Amino acid sequence: MPHDEQKWFIPTRRFMRMCRQAMRRPKVADSFDMELTGSGLLLRAILFRRLLLREVLSPDEWNVGLLLPPTVPTVLANAGLLLARRVPVNLNYTVSSEMLNQCIVRAGIRRVLTSRKAMERFEHLRPNAELVYLEDLKHRVTLADKLAAAALAWMAPLNFLDRWFGLAEIHPDDLMTLIFTSGSTGDPKGVMLTHRNVGSNVAAFHEALRLKESDTLIGILPFFHSFGYTVAMCAGLMLPPKVVYHTNPLDATTVGQIARKHRATLLISAPTFLRSYLRRVPAEDFASLELVVTGAEKLPRELADAFEKKFGVRPIEGYGTSELSPVVSVNIPPGRAPDKAAQWKEGTVGRPIPGVQVKVVDLQTGEDLPSGHDGMLLVKGPNVMKGYLDEPEKTAEVIRDGWYVTGDVAQIDDEGYIRITGRESRFSKIGGEMVPHLRIEECLGKILGLDEDKVSLAVTGVCDERKGERLVVLHTGLTKPPEQICRELAAMGLPPLFIPSPDSFYQVPEIPLLGTGKLDLRKLKILAEAKARGE
């Protein structure tokens, strides 16, 4: 960990110092040809803070929503809120209005920062909050605002800015952001991440991969995911590399173009997106890439082989979850490790980043297991979330004596490399999104009018070469055809990722249960995989 721990643990203080180091050097850019140096980024963030406090926010308003895809203005909005000592809550614009508004209510959000162009794109959403359009704020900027922001950005001592903005009063364990994720029933849970959580994670990620001033990172992951928030945005604010943003990670053509234009060296992605780039991005567009890190789902070896063959760089795997800020571990390729030797083992998600501890415990007894044995993966360190917003019981279920229970089954070898071997939790990771099985089962039960006292249907996930996982519905008999069921699921407002394909419904004699009457998840998965193979 760097010596100046306090400034790492307060990311906004680290942000201002990084901007001063990169005053005349390009620091952030996007696919809309907006580019700012370190001084331009700091100046506009300070200006945005001034506008928010004068024109938008009430003195008692702390949690502020954002409905914006990754762009330079979105980074400025987040940075301005943090400098104003507010809590930015980047809301998921891929969910239904119902789920979005649940998040808004849970977080106590009164206002949502967005843009008219973004809301045209998110036409399916009807937020129950006052919308503040960034375009309108431009017209409220005065000459005095510009002069004051310029003076503070260019000339004011940093320690003075810390005190003037109140950043010196922030405690590392104060709330920095909320990341909403789906709970076991599909209800959103607010993951409370502190300044220490995010700051320590950025510092450890930096220490592991040795990011350089000459690096340029492609920022394609949305900020409502902790991976996008911490690595794509906060790392851009706090670390030396330049970051270039684009609004849609599946827009392969544009991602390739900005990578070529800005000579990108780093790409943080999910395997789902890599498949799209493999098909549609010319080899020369990714010619400058030195490091490709994937997460959110398993990286198939054949995909890594094909990507390396075309682009000359082999993707590596890392691991994390929203509750862990999110990075837990990462493989380190040649040239990035301190001794220049690779710390990388194919088929694993790498070793823990500095400051993070991991262990596996017996699924039944909770006892620690030796290396090479499958068990529940537990994680401990400064990256473990503060807890779930207003849900102390659910927090206590997953944080035990400081250890976060991931819900992932793993083994750790003698060298400390982690291999994920299964998932106990009732979720699937599809396209990087957590898809809750219970939520889908509840909707299916309503559509089919199922008897709640009898288990006649269950949802699980099986491996899929294209998406990482796909949903499978096992049932003992249906009263409606699968095609009609899928249409009704969509009509209920479920996101497309939550809807199984009609050919993924399989009839079985009975749903496997434990002696307690609960689903036997292990047998359920085995049965689903057999059905999916046509057995």
Side-chain angles (χ1 to χ4, degrees):
M1 182 64 63
H3 295 300
D4 193 4
E5 285 191 346
Q6 181 68 13
K7 293 183 180 66
W8 278 100
F9 286 163
I10 309 299
T12 38
R13 299 179 69 184
R14 175 72 186 177
F15 157 61
M16 292 195 299
R17 284 151 178 81
M18 182 52 60
C19 286
R20 283 285 175 87
Q21 291 176 27
M23 287 292 277
R24 299 184 183 278
R25 179 167 58 82
K27 193 69 185 70
V28 291
D30 61 28
S31 54
F32 300 98
D33 294 327
M34 186 171 185
E35 183 168 282
L36 297 177
T37 61
S39 62
L41 175 59
L42 181 57
L43 188 154
R44 284 165 176 80
I46 291 172
L47 183 60
F48 200 92
R49 171 191 180 274
R50 187 179 176 99
L51 285 172
L52 286 171
L53 293 175
R54 187 182 71 219
E55 305 285 348
V56 179
L57 301 175
S58 302
D60 61 345
E61 188 175 0
W62 298 107
N63 296 346
V64 182
L66 297 99
L67 266 177
L68 292 162
T71 61
V72 170
T74 308
V75 174
L76 288 170
N78 276 273
L81 286 167
L82 289 170
L83 289 177
R85 293 191 59 186
R86 297 314 200 263
V87 177
V89 184
N90 290 272
L91 297 165
N92 189 338
Y93 39 78
T94 69
V95 300
S96 64
S97 282
E98 177 188 7
M99 188 172 289
L100 175 75
N101 287 320
Q102 286 184 49
C103 298
I104 288 172
V105 170
R106 283 175 178 262
I109 292 170
R110 301 183 213 167
R111 292 177 177 87
V112 172
L113 304 182
T114 186
S115 70
R116 287 185 171 82
K117 184 176 290 187
M119 291 311 296
E120 288 174 6
R121 178 179 167 187
F122 311 146
E123 58 183 358
H124 63 291
L125 296 177
R126 298 291 183 270
N128 289 336
E130 178 187 340
L131 299 182
V132 177
Y133 297 107
L134 299 188
E135 301 97 321
D136 297 343
L137 293 180
K138 289 182 181 178
H139 306 302
R140 303 183 191 181
V141 178
T142 66
L143 178 60
D145 291 329
K146 294 178 181 179
L147 293 174
L152 292 173
W154 280 88
M155 294 180 288
L158 290 170
N159 288 336
F160 169 80
L161 291 181
D162 287 341
R163 295 191 300 273
W164 183 259
F165 295 155
L167 306 182
E169 300 171 17
I170 297 175
H171 190 277
D173 293 325
D174 288 345
L175 183 64
M176 179 176 173
T177 191
L178 282 170
I179 302 288
F180 277 97
T181 184
S182 295
S184 60
T185 62
D187 294 329
K189 290 185 293 188
V191 176
M192 296 189 292
L193 298 182
T194 67
H195 295 267
R196 187 193 306 273
N197 290 154
V198 176
S200 67
N201 208 236
V202 171
F205 185 79
H206 178 39
E207 188 175 343
L209 290 175
R210 300 170 65 84
L211 305 183
K212 304 168 292 187
E213 185 178 300
S214 58
D215 281 325
T216 296
L217 168 67
I218 298 295
I220 54 171
L221 300 176
F223 299 162
F224 58 74
H225 278 312
S226 58
F227 204 20
Y229 183 84
T230 297
V231 177
M233 191 190 74
C234 290
L237 297 178
M238 298 169 63
L239 299 181
K242 171 184 172 182
V243 187
V244 184
Y245 298 96
H246 182 56
T247 56
N248 182 2
L250 286 172
D251 183 4
T253 301
T254 305
V255 172
Q257 289 171 349
I258 61 174
R260 186 175 187 176
K261 176 181 177 181
H262 294 274
R263 298 194 55 77
T265 58
L266 307 178
L267 175 64
I268 310 295
S269 182
T272 297
F273 306 143
L274 294 189
R275 289 185 180 90
S276 176
Y277 306 153
L278 191 59
R279 292 192 304 269
R280 298 167 54 198
V281 174
E284 55 270 22
D285 284 1
F286 281 171
S288 58
L289 284 183
E290 299 175 8
L291 177 63
V292 178
V293 182
T294 69
E297 61 193 67
K298 185 175 178 57
L299 174 65
R301 183 184 290 269
E302 59 271 19
L303 174 60
D305 290 342
F307 197 92
E308 182 181 25
K309 182 178 180 180
K310 180 172 182 178
F311 298 114
V313 57
R314 189 170 187 83
I316 60 174
E317 281 190 90
Y319 172 78
T321 71
S322 295
E323 290 86 347
L324 296 170
S325 305
V327 184
V328 172
S329 63
V330 67
N331 281 288
I332 304 174
R336 291 284 171 171
D339 58 1
K340 302 297 182 182
Q343 297 177 12
W344 175 12
K345 186 174 287 189
E346 195 83 32
T348 76
V349 293
R351 292 193 286 199
I353 59 176
V356 174
Q357 304 173 55
V358 296
K359 67 178 180 178
V360 293
V361 300
D362 187 272
L363 295 173
Q364 303 299 324
T365 67
E367 295 181 357
D368 291 4
L369 293 174
S371 61
H373 286 69
D374 281 3
M376 178 60 60
L377 179 65
L378 273 59
V379 179
K380 190 175 189 178
N383 59 327
V384 175
M385 67 171 178
K386 189 171 187 175
Y388 293 123
L389 178 67
D390 298 329
E391 296 189 273
E393 292 181 359
K394 289 184 178 179
T395 300
E397 289 176 7
V398 297
I399 301 180
R400 304 170 190 169
D401 297 323
W403 291 90
Y404 173 72
V405 182
T406 65
D408 286 321
V409 180
Q411 58 178 242
I412 303 171
D413 67 19
D414 291 334
E415 295 179 285
Y417 288 92
I418 305 167
R419 189 181 303 272
I420 305 298
T421 58
R423 182 171 296 116
E424 185 187 68
S425 304
R426 297 218 57 206
F427 292 91
S428 287
K429 277 191 177 179
I430 302 175
E433 290 275 355
M434 294 296 286
V435 178
H437 298 162
L438 285 175
R439 167 82 171 185
I440 302 165
E441 287 174 2
E442 289 174 355
C443 293
L444 289 169
K446 292 177 182 178
I447 290 171
L448 299 171
L450 298 181
D451 183 357
E452 294 183 358
D453 295 328
K454 183 181 179 182
V455 181
S456 57
L457 177 149
V459 175
T460 187
V462 299
C463 292
D464 183 90
E465 290 185 358
R466 188 170 59 87
K467 297 186 291 185
E469 281 190 79
R470 68 179 173 95
L471 297 172
V472 165
V473 180
L474 298 184
H475 60 87
T476 57
L478 299 174
T479 58
K480 299 179 180 180
E483 292 80 3
Q484 181 180 344
I485 293 171
C486 293
R487 289 195 296 270
E488 293 189 35
L489 287 172
M492 293 178 75
L494 284 188
L497 287 179
F498 285 41
I499 300 175
S501 61
D503 62 357
S504 294
F505 288 70
Y506 301 105
Q507 187 164 354
V508 294
E510 61 182 11
I511 303 298
L513 302 175
L514 297 169
T516 58
K518 294 183 178 180
L519 283 174
D520 187 332
L521 298 179
R522 188 178 298 273
K523 288 184 179 179
L524 181 71
K525 191 171 185 67
I526 292 172
L527 181 58
E529 289 173 341
K531 287 290 184 181
R533 291 192 301 267
E535 299 175 6

